[in-house]
Amino acid sequence: MKTYHPLYIGLFVLLLTTSCTIVRQGEVGARRTLGKIHPQIAVPGVVGFNPFTTAIIKVPTRTINIEVRMPLPSKEGLTIQSDVSILYRVEGRQVPRIVETIGRNYEEVVILPVFRSAAADITASYYAKDMHTGQRAAIEKSICELMTSRLLDRGFTIESVLLKSIVLPPGLSQAIEEKLEAEQDAQRMEFVLAKQRQEAQRQIIEAEGIRDAQKIINEGLTPMLIQFKSIEAFNRLSASPNSKVIVTNGQTPMLLSPQQLD
């Protein structure tokens, strides 16, 4: 059996290990041969190549989070400090073109400058207080849409832009808090007034009901009805087994008990 010199074996192993690489899940590879980028991408798996003429440039295609702290201009000319998260990903099929035209430091070259420009354009249309209230979601969406319109054709997808913290100037922050407290007090007072109006309306309705009932009763008490009711009372008294004395003027009976006669 033919044997090989250990030096040859070592060179073979070295050549074998340096002529292949592993592209992991969530990334693709761009093949560069003698300075030229091939348009085909290397998909996840083991990729073989000639280490003397070719290199595999790996680019992540999973979602990447960039943390940025920057001042944002407001409509009234104030500067608002903010911590921002930019969630983006690279389109795998565009990796060769990105590596060829931009390079591997595409975050500093393209994404961050586009973000700074888009953020300044959007926030300059809003008041500082809007960044601290319910308008924040609208600002985030507008920045994301503007960045997408500028970067999608270049191979980048902006998933979202998140304004995580907004630091307002001390005077403005206090003014906003005082305004919010005043609005809450006004809403609370409006609730109390509405409740009082409802109670007053209830009392009016109750009084009108009592008035209408009394009016109906008064209109129904005619002399003939009163005389008829008196005759009914005489009949019920006469049928009673108890001893009693009835004093009447012929219209209204008055009942006296034996104790009252003693």
Side-chain angles (χ1 to χ4, degrees), residues 9 12 31 44 55 135 176 209 211 215 218 222 225 246 253 262:
I9 297 176
F12 175 77
R31 192 185 301 269
Q135 294 292 332
I176 292 176
R211 181 200 63 192
K215 182 178 180 181
N218 292 333
T222 62
L225 178 60
I246 299 173
D262 293 342

Side-chain angles (χ1 to χ4, degrees), residues 205-255:
I205 294 174
E206 182 180 2
E208 291 177 348
I210 295 174
R211 181 200 63 192
D212 294 341
Q214 292 176 346
K215 182 178 180 181
I216 293 172
I217 293 174
N218 292 333
E219 291 177 352
L221 291 178
T222 62
M224 294 296 296
L225 178 60
I226 294 174
Q227 186 175 3
F228 175 73
K229 293 296 183 180
S230 298
I231 294 173
E232 286 185 341
F234 277 125
N235 291 334
R236 286 195 296 270
L237 290 172
S238 63
S240 175
N242 299 328
S243 61
K244 60 189 74 68
V245 175
I246 299 173
V247 179
T248 180
N249 59 359
Q251 295 180 350
T252 304
M254 182 176 63
L255 176 63

Side-chain angles (χ1 to χ4, degrees), residues 12-13 25-26 58-59 80 134 138 150 154 165 194 215 217 257:
F12 175 77
V13 173
Q25 293 292 329
K58 302 175 186 178
V59 176
I80 312 301
R150 296 177 179 178
R154 308 197 68 174
S165 66
K215 182 178 180 181
I217 293 174
S257 63

Side-chain angles (χ1 to χ4, degrees), residues 2-261:
K2 185 178 181 180
T3 60
Y4 294 93
H5 192 278
L7 178 60
Y8 296 150
I9 297 176
L11 290 175
F12 175 77
V13 173
L14 179 63
L15 180 63
L16 181 65
T17 55
T18 57
S19 63
C20 64
T21 187
I22 297 177
V23 178
R24 295 179 174 82
Q25 293 292 329
E27 64 182 13
V28 297
R31 192 185 301 269
R32 182 175 60 195
T33 301
L34 299 177
K36 182 180 179 180
I37 302 295
H38 291 265
Q40 293 80 17
I41 60 174
V43 297
V46 178
V47 180
F49 62 98
N50 184 346
F52 299 104
T53 61
T54 304
I56 303 298
I57 302 173
K58 302 175 186 178
V59 176
T61 57
R62 60 186 180 275
T63 300
I64 303 297
N65 178 23
I66 306 179
E67 301 284 342
V68 183
R69 169 169 288 189
M70 65 171 291
L72 299 175
S74 66
K75 189 173 183 179
E76 62 266 57
L78 298 176
T79 299
I80 312 301
Q81 293 294 330
S82 176
D83 290 331
V84 185
S85 287
I86 307 169
L87 302 180
Y88 79 96
R89 57 184 172 83
V90 177
E91 295 295 334
R93 291 176 296 179
Q94 300 283 352
V95 165
R97 187 164 66 92
I98 292 173
V99 173
E100 184 176 16
T101 59
I102 302 175
R104 302 180 64 177
N105 58 337
Y106 45 80
E107 285 187 357
E108 292 77 12
V109 174
V110 174
I111 295 179
L112 288 177
V114 169
F115 162 72
R116 293 188 177 96
S117 175
D121 291 344
I122 297 300
T123 58
S125 302
Y126 289 85
Y127 292 104
K129 63 181 181 62
D130 296 332
M131 305 180 197
H132 201 263
T133 58
Q135 294 292 332
R136 179 184 296 190
I139 296 173
E140 294 172 343
K141 182 179 178 181
S142 298
I143 296 174
C144 182
E145 291 176 349
L146 184 55
M147 291 185 66
T148 298
S149 67
R150 296 177 179 178
L151 292 175
L152 186 59
D153 292 339
R154 308 197 68 174
F156 303 97
T157 297
I158 306 300
E159 297 182 353
S160 61
V161 175
L162 306 175
L163 303 178
K164 298 196 301 181
S165 66
I166 299 293
V167 181
L168 299 176
L172 179 60
S173 178
Q174 182 179 357
I176 292 176
E177 292 178 358
E178 292 175 352
K179 181 180 178 181
L180 292 176
E181 291 179 358
E183 291 177 350
Q184 292 176 355
D185 291 339
Q187 292 176 357
R188 191 180 302 110
M189 181 57 65
E190 181 63 27
F191 173 77
V192 172
L193 293 176
K195 186 176 181 180
Q196 291 177 349
R197 285 194 293 267
Q198 291 176 354
E199 177 63 19
Q201 187 65 24
R202 185 195 66 80
Q203 294 178 355
I204 291 174
I205 294 174
E206 182 180 2
E208 291 177 348
I210 295 174
R211 181 200 63 192
D212 294 341
Q214 292 176 346
K215 182 178 180 181
I216 293 172
I217 293 174
N218 292 333
E219 291 177 352
L221 291 178
T222 62
M224 294 296 296
L225 178 60
I226 294 174
Q227 186 175 3
F228 175 73
K229 293 296 183 180
S230 298
I231 294 173
E232 286 185 341
F234 277 125
N235 291 334
R236 286 195 296 270
L237 290 172
S238 63
S240 175
N242 299 328
S243 61
K244 60 189 74 68
V245 175
I246 299 173
V247 179
T248 180
N249 59 359
Q251 295 180 350
T252 304
M254 182 176 63
L255 176 63
L256 297 176
S257 63
Q259 291 80 1
Q260 291 175 313
L261 296 174

